[in-house]
Amino acid sequence: MGENAKTEIVKVESLSKSFNSLEVLKDISFSVYEGHVVGIIGPSGSGKSTLLRCITQLTDVTGGSITVCGKPLVKNGIYSDKASLREINLMLGLVFQNFNLFPHYSVLKNITDAQIHVLKISKEEACQRAFELLEKMGLKNKADSYPCELSGGQQQRVSIARALALKPKVLLFDEPTSALDPELTGEILAVIKSLAEEKMTMVVVTHEMSFARDLSDHIIFMDGGLIVEEGSPEQVINNPQQERTKAFLSRFAAK
C-alpha cells in the first residue's frame, strides 16, 4: 500500500531497555505511519508495555533511537534537550489500562485541566473541547460526575477523551480493555474503531486478537523482548511464519 509514500509519525531504531541485568527490549525497530493503526500483540512479559513507556518518556531507554514527527526524542541512547522532549511529549497521547483519572476531579476537570495548564488555552476553550469530546464518547451527561460514579468502560472513555483533548499526533493504548469486564470491552473497541475510521494514528497493545486483526494496518508480534514477526494482519495472524507466533495464536484459533 505504499507505506514509504506516507508520513512517518514514529520511528523506532535498534531500541533496547534493561533493568539491571534483565534485558526487556532487544534491538526493536519499526515505524508508524500517519493514519495507520499498529497492533502490538504477544504474551505477558514480552516487553509490549515497556515499549510504549519508552516512546512516551515514562521509562528511559538503554540504547537506540526514537523519532517522533521527524524530531529526535533519543538518538543512540542520548536524549534531546528538555524543551524538545516537552514538545515531543505533546505529540503523544497515552491511554493506560487502569484509566489513571484523578479521582478528586470531576470528569470535566479531568479533561480540561491539562488543556489549561499544558496547552495554556482559556478555560472556556478547554470546556468547549471537553464537551465536544464527551459527546463523541457518549458521555455528555457525565461532565459533573466523578470517576468513582462511572463504570470502567465510562472511565476508559473519559481517559480517551482526556488524551484526545491535547490533540496528539498519535494515540498509544496499553491494553485498553484489560481492566474491564467482558461486557464493557465492546464499547471501548467501538471507540477505537471510530478513531481508526477518522484516520487517527494509533499504536494499540492488545490481547484482543480479532480486534487487532480487523483494525490494524500492521501487526507486530513480540516475545521475550524481541519482534518475532511483523507484517499485515493477513500475514501475521492469518498466515504466521514463525513457530512461536503460531503457538501463541493457536490459543485464539477457536475464537
Side-chain angles (χ1 to χ4, degrees), residues 73-210:
L73 188 162
V74 56
K75 187 171 184 179
N76 298 324
I78 306 299
Y79 279 87
S80 294
D81 60 88
K82 286 186 177 180
S84 296
L85 294 180
R86 182 182 180 279
E87 181 183 358
I88 290 168
N89 205 40
L90 286 174
M91 300 176 186
L92 304 166
L94 178 61
V95 178
F96 298 88
Q97 54 185 295
N98 292 315
F99 322 136
N100 280 32
L101 297 173
F102 294 111
H104 56 295
Y105 284 3
S106 68
V107 165
L108 185 63
K109 187 169 173 59
N110 262 287
I111 299 173
T112 58
D113 202 55
Q115 293 186 75
I116 295 167
H117 294 103
V118 177
L119 296 185
K120 307 296 184 184
I121 65 176
S122 69
K123 184 176 180 180
E124 291 73 22
E125 188 178 347
C127 285
Q128 181 180 349
R129 173 81 172 148
F131 280 115
E132 288 171 358
L133 287 166
L134 285 173
E135 184 164 8
K136 184 187 184 80
M137 297 295 153
L139 295 170
K140 62 181 181 180
N141 62 333
K142 298 293 185 181
D144 295 326
S145 299
Y146 285 81
C148 65
E149 300 172 311
L150 305 178
S151 70
Q154 290 171 330
Q155 289 185 62
Q156 191 61 294
R157 279 183 278 158
V158 174
S159 297
I160 296 170
R162 181 178 62 181
L164 288 170
L166 297 180
K167 300 184 178 179
K169 297 294 185 182
V170 57
L171 264 186
L172 302 100
F173 293 86
D174 186 8
E175 297 195 4
T177 62
S178 65
L180 300 178
D181 294 331
E183 64 266 25
L184 297 177
T185 294
E187 63 187 58
I188 300 306
L189 299 184
V191 168
I192 299 173
K193 183 180 179 182
S194 71
L195 293 173
E197 290 169 352
E198 295 171 9
K199 296 300 180 183
M200 180 77 203
T201 308
M202 292 184 283
V203 179
V204 184
V205 170
T206 182
H207 56 273
E208 302 283 344
M209 291 305 113
S210 60

Side-chain angles (χ1 to χ4, degrees), residues 40-49 175 205-207 209 220-226 228 244-245 247-249 251-252:
I40 303 180
I41 62 174
S44 297
S46 59
K48 307 184 301 295
S49 294
E175 297 195 4
V205 170
T206 182
H207 56 273
M209 291 305 113
I220 293 172
F221 171 62
M222 291 182 64
D223 188 36
L226 294 165
V228 176
R244 182 65 189 95
T245 316
F248 174 76
L249 291 171
R251 294 183 295 150
F252 303 94

Side-chain angles (χ1 to χ4, degrees), residues 11 24-25 27 29-30 44 56 63-65 67 86-87 119-120 150 173-175 192 203 218 230 232 234 250 253:
K11 185 177 181 67
V24 181
L25 296 175
D27 196 26
S29 298
F30 68 95
S44 297
T56 54
S65 304
T67 305
R86 182 182 180 279
E87 181 183 358
L119 296 185
K120 307 296 184 184
L150 305 178
F173 293 86
D174 186 8
E175 297 195 4
I192 299 173
V203 179
H218 192 79
E230 64 176 316
S232 69
E234 174 66 30
S250 66

